[in-house]
Structures are given as C-alpha cells and as structure tokens.
C-alpha cells in the first residue's frame, strides 16, 4: 500500500480526526444556504410578527450572509405588502482575521432596496412588526453612580476595515390621514469605506478621528435623487442633484484629500396651495489636495440662494503635511439680496412661519490668513436697509451697518486659560471704527486688545428706544461705554448714560416723563477665566430731573460686591438727596399717593447717608448698617440708625437682632432694640410670621431745657421700656420731666399757640397680650369687675404740676388748664395698663377754680385694631368757674359762672369715633347768664325765648350725643310767669340737631362775650 495513503488512513482512524469530522458535518448541517432559507424565516416568525421571503446564497458563521430577493412582511392588515424589500443584501466579514487582530467587514451592501412606511385607518405597518411584550414587575435596583465613559477599552490591539454600499435605496411614506399624504426618496446611493490604524481603545469624542487612516464617502455620485411630496398645502416632485465625494487617505505620503459637492438646484419648482412657487438653494464645492505641492485648494465653494451667490470662498491651505500649515481663504463674493428671498417666503406662506425680510447684506472681504501658530482673521459686514419681522413680533430695522473686525490667533498655543488671558489662542483683536444703525438707534464700536497691551474698547449708543427692549421702561437712551485694562483680570468700566423722556411703570401706574443721568466708574476683578471675583464701584452718580430741569433725585455711592460662595456687598457710603416737590412730579400715581401724606415729615430736601455691609453664606445672612438722615420736615438733622442683624435658616427661620439703635436731636431721642425673632410651630404668630424675644427701649432725656423740633422743647426724662416674649409684652412707661413746652412758631401774634406742662411724673406698668382676641364689648353688661375698688385706693402714679397755655378763644391771653394747689399737683391719677385694658382710677384735675374728677374710666385697646377699641368713663365737674373763659373786661359783668355737671362717655370702634360716640352731659347747676347762652345754643332766638329765659330760672340742662346728633333738654323752675305761659313738663327740648350745627352755635355764643 502507498505509504502516504496508509498514513492518511491511519490519521482518519484517530478519535481526533473523527471528532473534527463530526463537528464539521454538524456545522455544515446548520450553516448552509438551504438550511438558512428554511430556518431563518421560521425563527423570525416565531420571535416577531414579520414574515420573511428570500433566497440565501451564502450563510456562514465565519464569512457572513448573502440574501437575494429579500421581502419582509408585517403582520395584521398589512401582511400582503412588504414594508422592506431588497434585490440583494450582503453582510460579508472575515472572522478568522480576528486572531490576527483585525476586524474586517469586507462588504455590507444593500442593492435596489425599498422601505415602505404606511398608515391605514390610524394604524401603522411598523406597529405590526413585533409581538406585544408581557408586563413584568419592575424591580428597581440602586446602582452606584459611575463617572461617564470617555473611551471603550479593547485590551488587545485591533484594526478595523469596513465597506458599506447602499445603491438604489427608496423610502416611501404613505398615509391616509394627516397633512402629508405621500413622500418618497428614490435612487439614494451611498458608499463609504473606513480603515483605521491599530488601537487598544475607542475614544468617545473627536479624538476617534485620529484613529482613521482612510475614509471614503460617496453620496449619489453617479445619479441625482428623485424626490416627491404630496400634502394638503405643498406638492413637490423634483430630480435633485445630491452629489458628495469625500476621500481622505492618511497612509499616502503626503496625505490624499478630496472633497466635492453639488447639492441642490438654482431653480426648485414647488406647488403651494395650487400655485407654482420658484425658489432655489445650491451648494457647489470642489476641494482638492495636491500631494506634490502639498497644498489644499478651494477651487470652488459657492453657496447660492435663488441663483444668487450669497457666499463664495476662494483660497488655499499650503504646507498641509507640516506641523503649521498656511491658510489663505477669503470670501471673494457675497451678495445677499433679501428682497428676492422675500418673494419665495411670500409664496411659501403657510408652510414657513409668517416672515418679512428685505435689504442687502455682504460679507465680501472676510477671510483668514496665516499658519497654525499665527493666523490673521478679519470680518467685514456691510448691510443696507435690512428689515426683519417674524409674525406679529417687534420689527428689526438696520438702515446701515459697517463692521470691520480683525483678529490674530495662535492655534498651536498649549497655554491654559487664566484670569489674565482667558483666550490663550487669541493674540490680538482690533475693531476699526464701525457703525450700526438699528431701529433708528446709532451704535458705534471701536477698540483693540492684545495679550501684551491689554484691552480698550468704546461703545456709543444714541437714540435707543428702551421701550422696545425693556418691559415697563420707556425713554430715549444715549450712552458712552468704555472698557479698558491691562488684562482681562481687571477690567475698568466707564459709563455715561442719559435717558430723555424716562418713564417707568408699576402695576398699571405709569410715571410722567423725566430726565435720567447716570455716571459709573467701576472695576471688574476676575480670579479665573471670566470668574468674577469682585465688583469695585469707585463712583456711581444718578440724577433724575423733571422735564423743566429741576432736580428730583440725587444719588451717589461707592462700594464693592464679592459674588463668591460667600456673597459680600458693601456701600461706603451711599448718599441720597430728594427734592420732594419735584419728586412727586416724576413718580407714578401709586407711589405719589404713598409719599404725599409724609411730604411734610420729610421736608423739602431730605438727605440720607448709608454705610452698609451685607454678607450671605449657605446658611445665614448678616446686615450691618449705619444710616444718617436729615429730615427738615421734622427738623431732625442728625438722625442716626445703626443695626447689626443675622438672618439664618433656609426660610428665614430666625432673625438675631444683635444691635438696633436710633439716636436723634443731639442724643435727646434714643431707642434700642435687641433679641431674636423665631418661626415656631405654633398657630397665629404675633409678629408677622415670627415669635419674638425682644427688649425695646425708647427715651427722651435732657438735663437742661432743650429745643427738639416743631416748637417742642423738653427738660427731663421720659421713656418706655418693653420686654416682648412670644405673645406677652411687659414693661413700664416712666417720666420725670420738669417741663415740656410747645409753641406753633407763630408767637408772638394773633395766631400764637403756646403751652407749658410742668412737673410731669409717671410710672405706669404695661402688660399686653398679643394673642388677645376681642370677644364681648367691655361697655356691655356689668362693669363692676373693672370699676369697683372695694375700698382699696391706689396712690397716684401719674402727676402733673400745672398746664398753662394760650387761651382757647382769646388771642394773647394766658390760660391755666391745670392749676397747682399749693403743694398738691394740679393733675393726678392712677393708670394701669393690664390685659390690654387701661384702667384709670382716682383722676383729679384742678382747673378754673374747680375740680374735675374721673371715675369708671376704662380704655380697651384690644388687639390694637381701632375697629375693636372702645372707651367708657364718667367725669364729675364741680364748681368750674366759666368766667375764666371770658375776657377780663367781661368777667365782672357776670354774676355767677359756677358750673356743676356730670359727663358720661362711651365710644366703640375708634376708626370712626364721632359716629360711634355716645355722650350724656347733665348740668345741674349753672349761672343765669350762661344758662341763657346754653338755651340760645340749643334753640333759635326769638321774643318768647328771651322772655322765658329772663323769667324762668334754669334748674337743669341735659345734653346727649348719639350717632353725630345732639339731643338737649332745658328744665326751668316755676315762677309767676308760669301762671301765664305754660311750658310742657317745665322744659324746652331740641331733638336731632347735627353736631356741626351745635358747635357752630356754641362758637357764635362764646363770641358774644368777647365783643
């Protein structure tokens, strides 16, 4: 036997050979074209709703598959029409090459294929490709957060080569409902080839391009695309060139590069709403690389719109294989005519948004020159009568623009951005004097920047209408803005701003027109690239004037802001000066109504000076401030307010008042407040949303007679000390004041009003409940709980020596309102404020040689709302001599001026005290002269009344006031005339006399005694 044949038979008998033979037979049993033709469609139909038809001409685990006449049918009502078909599908690869470190996709081809997307009766064919998934319970698992991947490691060196060929692809979109009924793309050709170098990782960024050795992309290189669209508003059927060729081979030396396009047409014909529309869009490019000359040439790059060249580039990139190629590219032609473009937009109305454009633009002269390490770029933009408006929005008009900007770059720089140089690749920038006229506003630009010399830019705006850009503000803006600095680490900003016809709006209230002027000198400091570290305001001056040129507001400030993690803001100082008559002219009505009532308090020219510091970190805010004010309306020229507050908590849950002090009138007026305000989990907090733990003090003290303001002079000590704890306020009002005087600053003279109060001593305890809610009126029911003292008499805690002042009716005549009785004060009382009630006991006041005593006096302050406040009391008037109200020359003509009476008062709802006042005044002793005057007040004078008053002695007079109406009864004693003239019940009555009439008659009657 042949030795070779014998050896072969020996190998064939081995177990290894027989095992390999069995594996080979099993492999061929499954991986062959006949098995694939039967197996793959059946497996696919089991797993999905897709029915497959096709003939496998190759089915290999190691080398790929080939299918001819492939048809894929969906399920459901679309089962008769394939959603995808292809004449040939090839996926060829070489798996054994993987052992050599190569991934080879030798051929991925799709020949003469068609993709059909169809909708019928609201159903899509692609919705019947896969079976419905069974619902499964979601099991959420906590996954550890991972950093995002930047690359995918392969661990072994690999090389990829792939070829993709799509030829004759058609896509159809068919729909019964909706706006678009039919759309198709036919004859789509696409070829690409990729070859990489060896890699051990796949970057997930632009660095992946560095792994490409060879790239080839061809798009419809041999024939144009066929497009068709049929919709309710638009019909389009076009054969459209869509040629693109990209070839890049880095394995050649030097590299081979080619890029060329012919995309679009100059004349595109559409049908919009049954009307023909002509437009056009085309990109022509031809970029070649000459290996011998080592130069990349832009032989053609032309972007055309409606046949017009909008942008045409020309130039070269030379020394491409070197580390620093030279670039020389310019826009050699640019004619952007928006007027002709508007014609196409108008024809496409309904397809495109409503739009209006007109004018011309040009970028001719724009380009870039130089190499990688030193490139010079320039931008030139010219515009003439450009108009743009989208829909009903604000129109934009650029009457003319001339912008000329140049810059120098170093793209090879490896320097990292810093605060001084945030753009390390940018070496220089220069803006030649340029002009932009926008919406009747003129904008001028100029300036330059270099890394060595720093920056200096100037921007000028004129006639800019603020109302077109800022909501709620109007006026014509003129501004000069200059920025300069040695680097971007420190930028100085100088601004001069004027607004003519300045107006602003608050809610629906709009201010009158005024003039506004602002000067600003500030510096911006950066500690990282555009990381703002500090804003230093060297000077800020703001001035507002009326249209006639009168100053209303003058504001100046200096300070700084540090917007870091801990925000620090400081003003030192801020000066504010107001001229209130002019200010009221320039304010809107809503602010004018708030300031007008306090105009007299502010005065004509109030001034404020503020030094303040604000610090905010993650958990707290601190405010430290010192305010000085000059309020001429109050004659307060030295008001000083200092404060130190710490606000903590995410929702301002706590306010710590470390210091809050007020000082005025040379230290005579002082006030201080300290403590905490906390938000607690309790109902109805007393102080807004807070519960307080505060100490408050207020005092007026002077060792000698001291003039304060508005005619008020003080000598002595008067103060209020309060402790506020949650709902409770406890404290004391005290006074030890030898004298308190007032005059209306019209003395001497007929209009002089002057008063002097001596020896004011008081020590009144105070206890108030902020949680008090009025339940039942105090003046209803039994008042004995308040007015009975059960024999206990409290010593007076309020005394006044005497009160002397101008006579109430007679000019230049003094009058003692309260008269001291030897060593006894002219006025004394015990006052206690407890549980929101002021109880007044043992009141005595000596006046006009008589005495006035008060009893049952209770003042209910309730919750400090005037609507819930009420007062009641009784006054006993004994032996008051009314002659002292008369002029000295008439006193001797009056026989008896003594008066004895009781006065009862009660009033509810102090928001309208006159309407809610109930008063009863009973006079049971009065002289004849004054009795006759009382009768004249309540009754019209006539002969009969005169006879009655001359003949009948008055016994008693009762006067009551209710709801603003006066009721009066005059009772007479019987006399001889009563036998002739009979008075009903012995009295004369007057009912429902308006209070105004009563007071007018009383004034007239008093006047008769002065004549």
């Amino acid at each position: 036997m042949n030795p070779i044949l014998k050896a072969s038979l020996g190998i064939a008998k081995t177990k290894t050979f027989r095992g390999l033979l069995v594996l080979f037979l099993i492999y061929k049993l499954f991986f062959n074209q006949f098995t694939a033709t039967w197996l793959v469609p059946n497996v696919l139909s089991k797993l999905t709703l897709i029915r497959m038809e096709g003939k496998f001409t190759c089915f290999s685990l190691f080398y790929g598959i080939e299918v001819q006449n492939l048809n894929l049918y969906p399920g459901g009502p679309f089962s008769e029409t394939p959603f995808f078909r292809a004449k040939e599908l090839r996926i060829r690869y070489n798996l054994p090459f993987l052992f050599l470190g190569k991934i080879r996709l030798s051929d991925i081809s799709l020949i003469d294929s068609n993709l059909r997307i169809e909708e019928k009766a609201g159903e899509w064919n692609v919705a019947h490709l896969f079976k419905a998934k069974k619902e499964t319970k979601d099991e959420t698992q906590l996954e550890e957060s991972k950093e995002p991947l930047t690359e995918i490691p392969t661990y072994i060196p690999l090389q990829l080569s792939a070829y993709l060929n799509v030829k004759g692809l058609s896509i159809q979109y068919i729909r019964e409902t909706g706006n678009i009924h039919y759309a198709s793309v036919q004859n789509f050709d696409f070829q690409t080839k990729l070859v990489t170098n060896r890699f051990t990782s796949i970057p997930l960024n632009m660095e992946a391009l560095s792994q490409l050795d060879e790239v080839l992309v061809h798009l419809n290189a041999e024939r144009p695309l066929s497009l068709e669209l049929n919709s309710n508003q638009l019909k389009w059927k076009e054969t459209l060139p869509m040629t693109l060729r990209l070839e890049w081979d880095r394995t050649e030396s030097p590299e081979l590069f080619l890029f060329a396009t012919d995309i679009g047409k100059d004349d595109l014909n559409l049908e919009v709403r049954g009307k023909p529309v002509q437009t056009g869009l085309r990109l022509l490019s031809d970029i070649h690389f000459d290996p011998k000359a080592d130069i990349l040439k832009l032989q053609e790059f032309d972007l055309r719109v409606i046949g017009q060249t909008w942008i045409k580039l020309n130039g070269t990139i030379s020394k491409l294989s070197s580390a620093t190629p030279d670039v020389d590219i310019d826009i050699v032609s640019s004619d952007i005519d928006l007027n002709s473009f508007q014609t196409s937009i108008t024809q496409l109305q309904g397809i495109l948004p409503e739009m209006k454009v007109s004018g011309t633009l040009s970028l001719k002269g724009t380009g870039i020159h130089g190499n990688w390490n030193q490139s010079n770029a320039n931008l030139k933009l010219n515009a003439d009568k450009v108009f743009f408006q989208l829909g009903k929005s604000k129109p934009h008009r650029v009457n003319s623009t001339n912008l000329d900007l140049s810059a120098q770059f170093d793209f090879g720089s490896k320097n990292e951005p810093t605060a001084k140089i945030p753009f390390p690749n940018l070496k220089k920038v220069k803006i030649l004097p340029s002009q932009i006229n926008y919406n009747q506003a003129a904008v001028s630009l100029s300036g330059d920047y270099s890394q060595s010399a720093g920056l200096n830019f100037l921007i000028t705006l004129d006639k800019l209408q603020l109302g077109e850009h800022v909501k709620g503000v109007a006026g014509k803006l003129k501004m000069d803005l200059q920025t300069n600095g040695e680097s971007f680490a420190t930028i100085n900003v100088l601004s001069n701003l004027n607004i003519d016809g300045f107006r602003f709006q608050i809610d629906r209230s709009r201010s009158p027109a005024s003039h506004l002027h602002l000067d600003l000198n500030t510096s911006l400091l950066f500690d990282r690239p555009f990381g703002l570290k500090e804003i230093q305001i060297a000077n800020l001056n703001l001035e507002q004037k009326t249209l006639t040129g009168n100053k209303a507001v003058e504001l100046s400030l200096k300070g700084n802001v540090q917007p870091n993690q801990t925000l620090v803001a400081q003003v030192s100082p801020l000066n504010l000066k107001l001229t209130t008559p002019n200010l009221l002219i320039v304010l809107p009505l809503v602010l004018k109504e708030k300031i007008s009532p306090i105009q007299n308090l502010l005065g004509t020219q109030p001034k404020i000076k503020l030094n303040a510091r604000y610090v905010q970190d993650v958990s707290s805010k601190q405010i430290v401030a010192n305010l000085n004010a000059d309020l001429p309306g109050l004659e307060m020229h030295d008001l000083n307010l200092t404060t130190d507050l710490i606000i903590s908590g995410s929702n301002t849950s706590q306010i710590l008042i470390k210091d809050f002090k007020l000082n005025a009138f040379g230290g005579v007026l002082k006030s201080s407040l300290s403590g905490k305000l906390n938000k607690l989990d309790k109902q109805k907090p007393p102080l807004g949303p807070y519960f307080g733990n505060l100490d408050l003090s207020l005092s007026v003290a002077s060792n000698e007679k001291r003039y304060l303001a508005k005619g008020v002079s003080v000598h002595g000590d008067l103060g209020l000390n309060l402790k506020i704890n949650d709902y409770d306020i406890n404290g004391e009002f005290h006074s030890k004041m030898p004298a308190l005087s007032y005059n209306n600053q019209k003395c001497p003279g007929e209009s002089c009003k002057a008063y002097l109060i001596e020896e004011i001593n008081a020590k009144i305890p105070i206890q108030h409940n902020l949680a008090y809610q009025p339940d039942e009126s105090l003046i209803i029911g039994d008042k004995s709980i308040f007015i009975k003292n059960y024999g206990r008499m409290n010593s007076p805690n309020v005394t006044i020596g005497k009160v002397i002042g101008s006579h109430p009716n007679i000019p230049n005549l003094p009058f003692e309102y309260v008269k001291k009785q030897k060593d006894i004060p002219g006025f004394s009382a015990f006052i206690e404020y407890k549980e929101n009630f002021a109880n007044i006991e043992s009141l005595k006041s000596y006046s006009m040689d008589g005495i006035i005593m008060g009893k049952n006096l209770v003042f209910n302050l309730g919750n400090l709302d005037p609507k819930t406040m009420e007062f009641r009391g009784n006054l006993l008037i004994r032996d008051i001599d009314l002659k002292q109200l008369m002029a000295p020359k008439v006193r001797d003509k009056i026989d008896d001026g003594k008066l004895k009476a009781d006065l009862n008062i009660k009033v509810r709802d102090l928001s309208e005290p006159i309407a809610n006042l109930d008063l009863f005044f009973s006079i049971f002793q009065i002289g004849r002269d004054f009795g006759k005057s009382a009768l004249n007040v309540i009754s019209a004078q006539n002969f009969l009344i005169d006879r009655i008053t001359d003949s009948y002695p008055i016994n008693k007079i009762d006067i009551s006031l209710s709801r603003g109406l006066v009721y009066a009864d005059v009772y007479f004693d019987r006399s001889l005339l009563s036998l002739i003239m009979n008075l009903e019940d012995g009295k004369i009555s007057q009912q429902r006399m308006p209070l105004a009439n009563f007071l007018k008659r009383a004034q007239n009657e008093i006047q008769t005694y002065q004549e």
Side-chain angles (χ1 to χ4, degrees), residues 407-476:
Q408 186 180 102
F409 298 92
D410 179 6
F411 294 108
S413 175
K414 302 298 182 181
N415 296 331
E416 294 293 327
T418 63
K420 291 185 176 181
I421 306 176
F423 306 110
N425 302 112
L426 179 63
K427 296 298 181 182
K428 293 182 180 179
V429 173
K430 185 172 184 178
I431 303 177
L432 294 177
S434 302
Q435 186 82 14
I436 301 173
N437 291 316
Y438 170 72
N439 281 12
Q440 300 180 351
V443 183
S444 299
L445 306 171
S446 64
D448 57 78
Y449 160 74
S450 67
Q451 292 185 0
S452 58
L455 68 151
N456 187 4
F457 292 98
L458 177 64
I459 303 175
T460 301
L461 279 78
D462 192 15
K463 300 179 181 179
L464 180 66
Q465 296 292 343
L466 290 176
E468 298 180 1
H469 308 279
V470 183
K471 186 178 180 181
V473 177
K476 188 181 293 184

Side-chain angles (χ1 to χ4, degrees), residues 22 25 65 133 248 282 351 426 460 469 486 857 979:
V22 171
L25 293 175
I65 63 173
K133 292 184 178 181
W248 183 22
R282 190 177 186 185
I351 305 299
L426 179 63
T460 301
H469 308 279
E486 296 181 355
L857 299 173
L979 298 175

Side-chain angles (χ1 to χ4, degrees), residues 70-353:
L70 174 64
N71 290 283
L72 299 177
Y73 297 85
F78 304 93
S79 59
E80 299 300 323
T81 305
F83 76 91
F84 179 78
R85 58 183 176 83
K87 183 178 180 181
E88 188 174 358
L89 171 65
R90 296 195 298 267
I91 304 176
R92 303 302 301 267
Y93 51 86
N94 196 321
L95 196 59
F97 268 49
L98 191 60
F99 294 100
L100 301 177
K102 294 183 178 182
I103 302 175
R104 178 168 293 180
L105 303 174
S106 56
D107 187 7
I108 301 177
S109 296
L110 194 61
I111 310 298
D112 294 339
S113 57
N114 180 270
L115 176 64
R116 182 185 179 96
I117 302 173
E118 186 177 6
E119 179 260 340
K120 289 181 180 180
E123 291 190 70
W124 293 89
N125 59 348
V126 292
H128 294 273
L129 300 180
F130 303 99
K131 296 180 179 179
K133 292 184 178 181
K134 295 181 179 179
E135 293 185 1
T136 57
K137 295 182 179 179
D138 294 333
E139 296 182 359
T140 58
Q141 296 180 353
L142 297 176
E143 297 183 359
E144 296 182 359
S145 59
K146 299 180 180 179
E147 295 183 359
L149 291 175
T150 58
E151 61 180 19
I152 301 175
T154 61
Y155 303 107
I156 59 174
L158 295 175
Q159 183 186 29
L160 170 67
S161 62
Y163 176 73
L164 172 65
N165 178 30
V166 177
K167 188 172 184 180
L169 172 64
S170 298
I171 302 175
Q172 291 179 302
Y173 176 92
I174 305 170
R175 190 173 184 183
E176 290 184 348
T177 61
N179 183 35
I180 300 177
H181 305 301
Y182 180 79
S184 72
V185 178
Q186 297 182 8
N187 300 330
F188 178 75
D189 299 337
F190 178 73
Q191 294 83 34
T192 182
K193 179 181 178 182
L194 297 176
V195 178
T196 69
N197 51 34
R198 288 198 174 271
F199 55 85
T200 57
S201 63
I202 303 174
L204 300 178
N205 49 41
M206 295 300 295
E207 293 182 2
L209 296 176
S210 64
Q211 295 181 347
L212 297 175
D213 278 346
E214 185 178 348
V215 180
L216 181 145
V217 177
H218 284 181
L219 179 66
N220 283 78
E222 299 178 356
R223 56 182 176 177
L225 274 178
S226 294
L227 302 175
E228 185 174 354
L229 176 66
N230 187 358
S231 68
N232 292 338
Q233 297 181 336
L234 176 66
K235 292 183 179 180
W236 185 28
K237 189 173 183 179
E238 196 84 45
T239 300
L240 189 68
M242 194 65 68
T243 302
L244 183 146
R245 294 180 61 196
L246 171 63
E247 298 180 11
W248 183 22
D249 191 349
R250 299 175 61 188
T251 60
E252 298 287 338
S253 183
E255 297 180 4
L256 174 64
F257 183 86
L258 169 65
F259 181 81
T261 63
D262 184 359
I263 300 174
K265 294 174 68 175
D266 289 332
D267 52 341
L268 298 175
N269 298 302
L270 311 172
E271 185 178 318
V272 179
R273 296 177 180 176
K275 297 181 180 180
V277 175
Q278 290 185 345
T279 184
L281 179 64
R282 190 177 186 185
L283 175 63
L284 293 171
S285 67
D286 188 0
I287 304 173
H288 282 275
F289 177 65
D290 186 348
K292 294 183 180 179
D294 194 16
I295 186 171
L296 184 71
K297 298 180 179 179
L298 275 73
Q299 298 185 161
E300 184 178 25
F301 189 96
D302 192 353
L303 176 63
R304 300 180 183 177
V305 178
I306 320 177
Q308 297 175 346
T309 297
W310 280 25
I311 296 177
K312 185 175 183 179
L313 297 177
N314 196 358
T316 61
I317 303 177
S318 58
K319 298 180 183 180
L320 196 62
S321 60
S322 67
T324 58
D326 289 334
V327 179
D328 187 11
I329 299 175
D330 289 294
I331 297 179
V332 295
S333 179
S334 178
D335 183 13
I336 305 174
D337 187 358
L338 299 177
N339 297 307
S340 57
F341 186 56
Q342 175 64 47
T343 304
S344 297
I345 293 176
T346 304
Q347 293 174 337
L348 292 172
Q349 187 175 1
I351 305 299
L352 296 177

Side-chain angles (χ1 to χ4, degrees), residues 782-795 830 832 839-844 854-858:
D782 184 13
K783 312 303 181 302
S784 61
I785 188 173
F786 297 104
I787 63 178
K788 288 184 178 179
N789 54 34
Y790 300 98
R792 296 189 299 270
M793 298 295 293
N794 294 304
S795 300
F830 177 80
E832 181 182 35
N839 298 320
I840 306 172
E841 301 176 8
S842 307
L843 185 147
K844 293 181 181 180
K855 56 186 297 187
N856 306 337
L857 299 173
V858 181

Side-chain angles (χ1 to χ4, degrees), residues 72 77 330 496 848 920 948:
L72 299 177
D330 289 294
N496 185 287
M848 293 188 289
F920 181 74
I948 293 174

